Each structure stands twice: as C-alpha cells, then as structure tokens.
Amino acid sequence: MGWNRKILRVDLTSGTCSEEPLNMEWAQEYLGSRGLATKYLVSEIDPRVDPLSPDNKMIMATGPLTGTMASTGGRYTVVTKGPLTGAIACSNSGGFFGAEMKFAGWDMIIFEGRAPKPVYLHVENDRAELRDASHLWGKSCWETEETIKHELQDPLVRISSIGRAGENQVYYACIVNDLHRAAGRSGVGAVMGSKNLKAVALRGTKGVSGIRDFGAFMQATNAAKKVLADNAVTGQGLPKYGTQVLMNVINEIGALPTRNHRDVQFEDAGKISAEAMHEKRPTDGKPHLVTNAACFGCTIACGRISEIDKGHFTVKNNPKYWGASGGLEYEAAWALGAANGVGDLEALQYANLLCNEQGMDPISFGATVGAAMELYEMGVLTKEQIGLETPFGSAQALARLAEMTALGEGFGKEIGLGSKRLCTKYGHPELSMTVKGQEFPAYDSRGIQGMGLAYATSNRGACHLRGYTVASEVLGIPVKTDPHVTEGKAELVKAFQDATAVFDSAGICVFTSFAWTLADVQPQLAAACEGEWSMDKLNEVGERIWNMERQFNNAAGFTAKDDNLPPRLTSEPAKTGPAKGMVNHLDRMLPEYYQVRGWTPDGVPKPETLSRLGL
Amino acid sequence: MRIAFKLFASLSDYLPAGSRDNRIDLDVDEGVSVAELIRRYEVPERNAHLVLVNGLFIPPAERSRRRLQEGDEVAVWPPIAGG
C-alpha cells in the first residue's frame, strides 16, 4: 500500500504527541509527501495566518516510495506557510531522514502551536515524546546532531534540525538533516524556530511493509534503476561531475545571472565550475572534490563531498572546517559566486559550509549579498553601515557576511531579511531579484524564456524546482526547444510543473526525471500503492496539486500581479552572449499560460477547472 | 582563421596537452564544419551531445553544414544535467 497509514500529530503548546490514521481518501487524490501534506495544511490553517505565529503549522512528510527499493526513495518534504514569501512553502530534502520516518512507522508528522521553551522531538518507532532542548539552543545543526546522538547513545538516529539561523528566524533559514542535506527554500527553518522546535530525532527499525504487489514492485524498481544506470546523464554525468557541471553551460549560453543580474555571463565561471572541482590546487596539490555521495536508496549519487584548502584565509585558523564535507552544488556555487562576482572557489565552499552548519539557504543568502553589493556600489549602503567594504567580487565580504548572517551579528541581521525586504528598506525594491519575495536560482530568464514564466508562476516564489524547463530549453531533455522563443512555453511550463508535483509527491528525487518520465514512475507506484494508478490519474494528481497550491496562495492574498518578474529582466536587455539585446517576454507567455491552465485572465482557477480536478 | 574549441566535463580528455581552462585556440582552414572539427579531435559522435557555436545550439543534423567563421567559439558537452 506504500503508506504506513499513520500520522503523528505534535501539539507543541501542550507538549503532547498523538497518533491518528492517514486520510486514505486524500492519499488517493494527492499521493503523498508534497501533495498530501499540502492538502492537510490547507485544510487546517487560515491562509492569511502569520507564518511565524503559533497558528501556522509545519508538516514533515514522506511519500509512498520513500524508504522503499525505488531509486532515490529517500526524500521527505517540509510543508508550511513560508515567512520569506507568505506563500505556500514546500521544501524537499534527501539524505536518510525521510526513510527513517517511514521505518519508524509514520507517513508524516504535523507540528502545531508553539512550545513554551526549546524542545526536540524524539521518535523511536511507535513511541514519540518531546524532550527539553534548552542545552541545544544556540548550537549549530552539526553540534545538535552530535549532541543528540551522544545523549541517546545511538549513532544511527537520524536528525533534522535548525541552527542559529532558524533560531534567529532568518527569513530563509532551512532545516538541515544528515549534516549537509536540507529542506532549503522559503524559510521553513524560521517556522521551526518560531515554534521553539530545535530538532527531530528519528529511529525506525520496522522497515517498509505493505507493498501492494512485492514481486511487481521489485520488477518495476529494477527496470527503472536500469533506465537510470543506462542513461548518460544519471549513470555517468551526475555522479562524476554533479550539478555544478552546468556552470560553464549556462555561462556559455549567456544565462548565468552575474552581479545581481546586472550581467548574464561571469568571467570567472570556469573557476567555480565542476571541472575546477576536479583540478589540483596549486597551493596544496589536492583537488577540491573528495568524492561523490548518495542519499538513501539513490543509484545516481550526484552529491559532492569536498575538502577546503586548509591554508585559505577563511579557515587557516579554524580547523573545524578542514574536514571533508558537503558541497559545492551548482545552485550554491552560483549564488555564492557569480551572483556576487566572487570567483574564489574556497571562499564559496566556506560560505556554503556556514550555510550547512547554521542552516541557511545558500541561494537566498548569496542572492541577498548580491543585492547588498549592488547597493554598496551605488553608495546607498556604506562601509560604516555594513561594517566592511562590500564591492562585487570581494571574497572577504562574502565570507564575513556569511559569518555575520549565520550568527545574527551586526549587518548580518539585515542580510537575514532576504533581498526583497533589504532592498525595500533601503529604497530600491526594483533591485531585489525575486518573485513573490523569493530569490532567483541560477538561470537568467532573458536567455531562457520559459524559465521566466516558470519563475513568475511558481507557487513558492522564484524557483527552478517547480518547473525546470532548462532541461528542455538548454539540455534537450526530453526534447530540445529554443530558449529564445516564447511560443509553446506555456504548455511546456505547465507540463513540467504538473509532472514535478508527482515526482515530489511520490517521495523520489526530481533528478530521476533527467532519465525517467512519468511512464517510468507509474509502474513503481502502481505496484506499491493500493488503488488504480494510471498515467491519466498521475497527470490529474499533478495538476490537482498545482491548483490546490495556487488556491492557497490566492486565498493568502496573492493575485496575478504577483506573477511577475523584476523590471531588470523585462526592461534591461542582456549585455553579452547569444541572448544579447533580449529581455524576458513574460507578457507574451502569461495570458496563454492562464488559458492552458483553465484559469481566468486574472489568474484564478475557473469553477470548471476546479470541478474537473475535484477541488 | 582563428577559432576557439572548448570541451567540457568528460570530453576534456580529448583536448591536446597544453590546453587550459577546457579550451584551445586554433588556426583552421576556411570552411571547416562543426562536425569536422569535432571528428578531428576524435570526440565520439554520440558523446557530442550539446554543441554550441557562440552559445547557440547546433542540432546534430546541421553540424556538417554549419561552416565556422573567424572568431567562432565551439563548445561541446556530453549528456549532462544539473539543477
């Protein structure tokens, strides 16, 4: 049946934990993880709730394939109303935490209220209890994991926690599990901090039972794993080079946002690329990259484990950072690097380590530093205000601002506001490179038109993981489309958005979609889950989830005006590269997108659309 | 005429010794095609997945017809992805 049929509800205000059955009717309509947790959230909270108030809820959820033999079946999702955006927040993480939740016998954990003092949740199979976390408050995610494992005398316990950023309610704080995997975007860690919930520690020994047809499931998962192994991207490219291999590609096509999107190509892209990670450093003769790594059940293994140059200015007096640790991935390398004009790979890894250690989204952090650097170069922000010189390209400024933001010191508190609040505060909201308050990832939509539409309509604000048309427009997956045209992009974006909602809700990694289509996922779900799981049903589930999220955002106060891009992208042409002279033509794509979605010209799902989807 | 030839990821092994930053600057005859250049460096055709000239994608069917011009930059990747 795929699901454990059991939810753990944790009332932090009263300190109680209770068990309740999973709504199996909803499971048939929303599948699991992202979809099912969102259904619970939108059914239980007021869409206009203050995200950081006790009335907001936070759900950690697995999918039916989480913890199973399905490749990449280790994912879990955190769903809440996000403080960075005020929209639905849905952040997905790998590692081993999700599978452990399944092994302990739970499908999801719903947190509500606010603990009167810091606590952490300890779950050991059926037994769940809140424990005092006063001694953990103020500790990093790394220290928290170590301390809990020590006090439980269990090295196999799996932990998700917040660091100082979550405690300080940095608007883009994340929740870190297994040291360097994270539910990264939209500030889910700040919600956890607002609830005085420091960590969740899980130990499950039950395995996964109840697969509907075990023989068919083994056959389906083995066939799907062979597809991944035989595919040049998932079988060779990602394990060897990781996501960072995109750095040179996106730079070459003139879509690498540089210096807060002033430019679209970065002269030092090669220095912060996957290829550079493999090169021996002149300083110590060692490559930055130590090895690749896999999350639970993953047969791709795109993760990066690196070792920083011990003599680098950022760490030479701080051995804590000398060991092999997570990073760099493409998005972090871009946001900490090109977005700020910093080409020092070691400095990027140092800032990335701080993000992992104290629980911050490196995309939003790096992009906010980029905005601050532009304000500094304009003279709007001064050295006296920030506490240091902060020009584009300064590795020193990046490293110091990472420390200050992670620890909530000085101007770091302002960086912790995120780009939209920072730029608005200092009189230049137009310089915030965000949609719905969330910072862009690493693709400039002047050179990849479809991504402009994907960003503008993403339900969690600017994001590449809600509709990754880069796959088609740049990489030719599943078919190559022209990144410079707007024709056909409305349908393309919708197709990516709906399919991604299914991958996320199944409990698997969206990176499988570089080799798999829904036709590869469908037999796995059909064998694992009770009910009929046809391709038509999966397509409908994806569309239903998308519309449900949209309805929540509309009820939260968002309108079609929020489906927008910063003026820089629609009125300042790209200066160099093959997209030179181009802007993003969102105005051409958005009306067509609403039509394709079955929404009114104002971006509201029509009654017949809602009726068709059972919403 | 002078052009730049760039090979990335696993294809960098096909660049001659002395290449730096995944790139070599070359003198080639007028009229050489993208496909000929790729063959000259023995890059297997099936691995030349993403081929860009000055950042613009050249589909497989056009690689033999596309003649290079002075100053062109040819960049080639095997199948790759990220995100």
Side-chain angles (χ1 to χ4, degrees):
Chain A
M1 59 192 172
W3 304 274
N4 280 322
R5 294 172 169 250
K6 206 169 74 170
I7 291 175
L8 176 62
R9 188 176 291 274
V10 180
D11 184 337
L12 293 160
T13 306
S14 65
T16 56
C17 301
S18 56
E19 175 186 330
E20 59 187 70
L22 185 71
N23 185 324
M24 292 308 295
E25 280 182 29
W26 286 357
Q28 288 293 320
E29 294 167 354
Y30 299 93
L31 191 53
S33 203
R34 171 179 165 185
L36 192 52
T38 304
K39 176 62 178 171
Y40 271 87
L41 187 83
V42 304
S43 303
E44 297 192 10
I45 70 164
D46 178 347
R48 291 185 178 268
V49 72
D50 174 353
L52 298 177
S53 76
D55 292 334
N56 192 14
K57 298 190 182 186
M58 185 186 85
I59 303 176
M60 292 179 166
T62 64
L65 297 183
T66 307
T68 70
M69 291 290 287
S71 184
T72 76
R75 309 297 299 191
Y76 91 103
T77 301
V78 180
V79 176
T80 186
K81 181 175 175 178
L84 185 68
T85 58
I88 193 82
C90 171
S91 296
N92 185 299
S93 181
F96 297 82
F97 180 85
E100 199 75 16
M101 189 188 301
K102 206 70 174 288
F103 297 162
W106 306 96
D107 291 309
M108 64 173 80
I109 306 173
I110 300 177
F111 295 95
E112 51 194 35
R114 179 177 190 269
K117 60 177 185 172
V119 294
Y120 78 92
L121 176 70
H122 178 224
V123 175
E124 188 171 3
N125 292 328
D126 297 325
R127 193 166 57 82
E129 63 173 356
L130 288 168
R131 293 184 166 201
D132 178 50
S134 304
H135 62 300
L136 298 173
W137 208 252
K139 288 190 186 297
S140 70
C141 299
W142 297 351
E143 292 166 330
T144 299
E145 279 212 35
E146 187 181 353
T147 307
I148 292 177
K149 285 181 178 178
H150 183 75
E151 71 189 29
L152 295 175
Q153 285 294 290
D154 186 355
L156 294 178
V157 70
R158 297 293 181 183
I159 296 162
S160 277
S161 68
I162 56 168
R164 296 277 289 275
E167 292 178 10
N168 294 332
Q169 295 172 30
V170 167
Y171 278 94
Y172 44 82
C174 57
I175 300 172
V176 175
N177 60 285
D178 303 294
L179 299 180
H180 39 242
R181 308 306 307 184
R185 302 227 67 191
S186 309
V188 295
V191 174
M192 191 158 159
S194 75
K195 296 188 173 306
N196 268 332
L197 178 64
K198 179 64 180 176
V200 178
L202 301 175
R203 186 76 166 94
T205 58
K206 298 182 176 188
V208 174
S209 59
I211 296 294
R212 187 183 66 80
D213 181 340
F214 195 77
F217 187 65
M218 289 297 285
Q219 202 170 11
T221 53
N222 282 339
K225 283 175 185 171
K226 187 168 188 319
V227 172
L228 293 178
D230 291 347
N231 183 283
V233 172
T234 49
Q236 299 155 39
L238 277 171
K240 179 157 188 191
Y241 291 99
T243 57
Q244 215 174 343
V245 74
L246 284 186
M247 195 68 72
N248 284 311
V249 179
I250 304 302
N251 195 50
E252 199 77 17
I253 67 162
L256 189 69
T258 300
R259 290 176 280 270
N260 203 35
H261 288 69
R262 272 187 179 176
D263 301 299
V264 295
Q265 291 183 306
F266 183 36
E267 60 281 4
D268 284 338
K271 293 181 182 173
I272 61 170
S273 65
E275 289 84 354
M277 295 275 283
H278 282 262
E279 284 174 16
K280 289 178 181 170
R281 289 183 287 241
T283 48
D284 62 3
K286 294 179 181 174
H288 195 82
L289 182 72
V290 175
T291 184
N292 67 328
C295 300
F296 174 87
C298 177
T299 55
I300 301 173
C302 73
R304 305 289 94 182
I305 300 294
S306 306
E307 205 171 271
I308 203 164
D309 180 351
K310 297 177 180 65
H312 191 260
F313 78 88
T314 51
V315 298
K316 64 181 177 186
N317 296 319
N318 205 340
K320 178 168 67 164
Y321 301 106
W322 289 359
S325 193
L328 286 159
E329 318 290 339
Y330 174 58
E331 295 295 340
W334 163 77
L336 302 168
N340 306 311
V342 176
D344 179 339
L345 191 66
E346 308 302 323
L348 307 194
Q349 174 64 352
Y350 175 66
N352 188 61
L353 289 173
L354 289 179
C355 287
N356 287 343
E357 183 185 21
Q358 297 296 353
M360 295 195 297
D361 170 15
I363 299 179
S364 285
F365 164 71
T368 304
V369 170
M373 286 180 167
E374 181 157 13
L375 290 168
Y376 175 84
E377 296 218 336
M378 290 165 65
V380 175
L381 288 173
T382 64
K383 179 185 172 187
E384 288 67 36
Q385 282 171 296
I386 301 174
L388 68 162
E389 291 178 348
T390 314
F392 280 125
S394 171
Q396 288 80 5
L398 172 73
R400 184 69 192 118
L401 286 172
E403 294 164 357
M404 292 162 70
T405 309
L407 299 177
E409 297 171 352
F411 196 79
K413 290 176 190 165
E414 310 256 328
I415 298 291
L417 296 172
S419 158
K420 182 182 174 184
R421 289 174 174 85
L422 179 82
C423 291
T424 301
K425 180 173 179 178
Y426 290 99
H428 289 276
E430 77 283 2
L431 295 182
S432 170
M433 295 295 113
T434 54
V435 173
K436 298 180 176 72
Q438 179 156 284
E439 290 73 12
F440 287 108
Y443 313 90
D444 194 299
S445 62
R446 286 169 288 197
I448 311 174
Q449 292 289 313
M451 282 308 291
L453 180 62
Y455 290 146
T457 60
S458 161
N459 286 326
R460 69 169 188 179
C463 174
H464 58 298
L465 293 171
R466 285 296 169 275
Y468 191 65
T469 63
V470 173
S472 170
E473 293 182 278
V474 180
L475 306 171
I477 302 170
V479 289
K480 184 75 175 69
T481 53
D482 186 341
H484 292 174
V485 306
T486 56
E487 290 75 19
K489 296 299 165 63
E491 291 88 349
L492 188 73
V493 168
K494 177 184 180 294
F496 269 89
Q497 289 173 338
D498 291 351
T500 302
V502 176
F503 278 80
D504 287 346
S505 301
I508 54 176
C509 177
V510 74
F511 281 9
T512 56
S513 67
F514 294 132
W516 291 351
T517 66
L518 277 185
D520 297 289
V521 181
Q522 184 270 335
Q524 301 180 72
L525 284 171
C529 303
E530 65 187 58
E532 188 210 330
W533 292 94
S534 63
M535 285 294 290
D536 285 347
K537 180 170 174 178
L538 290 178
N539 284 317
E540 186 181 276
V541 165
E543 190 177 4
R544 181 180 295 126
I545 293 167
W546 192 264
N547 279 271
M548 170 176 61
E549 293 171 340
R550 176 74 178 191
Q551 277 189 296
F552 176 87
N553 286 349
N554 286 350
F558 287 91
T559 69
K561 286 181 185 168
D562 299 299
D563 296 338
N564 212 341
L565 297 172
R568 175 164 282 174
L569 301 182
T570 54
S571 62
E572 290 181 27
K575 294 174 191 164
T576 61
K580 183 178 178 181
M582 292 183 67
V583 297
N584 186 273
H585 295 292
L586 179 65
D587 56 331
R588 296 180 193 166
M589 298 181 281
L590 193 59
E592 188 186 350
Y593 173 83
Y594 288 163
Q595 202 169 16
V596 170
R597 276 262 170 234
W599 295 354
T600 69
D602 295 325
V604 177
K606 292 177 180 174
E608 56 265 37
T609 303
L610 297 176
S611 170
R612 175 171 59 81
L613 296 170
L615 287 166
Chain B
M1 63 181 187
R2 197 79 171 158
I3 62 145
F5 188 45
K6 305 186 226 180
L7 295 174
F8 292 100
S10 57
L11 300 187
S12 58
D13 295 344
Y14 294 95
L15 280 170
S19 310
R20 284 175 56 88
D21 302 328
N22 295 92
R23 165 189 183 120
I24 185 167
D25 292 296
L26 299 169
D27 287 313
V28 295
D29 295 336
E30 296 280 338
V32 68
S33 72
V34 173
E36 285 165 351
L37 182 68
I38 292 170
R39 272 199 299 274
R40 184 176 301 176
Y41 285 88
E42 299 180 340
V43 177
E45 197 175 325
R46 65 187 169 83
N47 289 350
H49 174 73
L50 182 63
V51 177
L52 308 178
V53 175
N54 304 325
L56 293 170
F57 178 67
I58 309 297
E62 290 179 22
R63 289 172 193 166
S64 296
R65 294 197 296 270
R66 176 69 159 81
R67 304 286 163 190
L68 295 174
Q69 297 174 347
E70 173 76 26
D72 276 350
E73 300 208 350
V74 181
V76 186
W77 285 264
I80 46 105

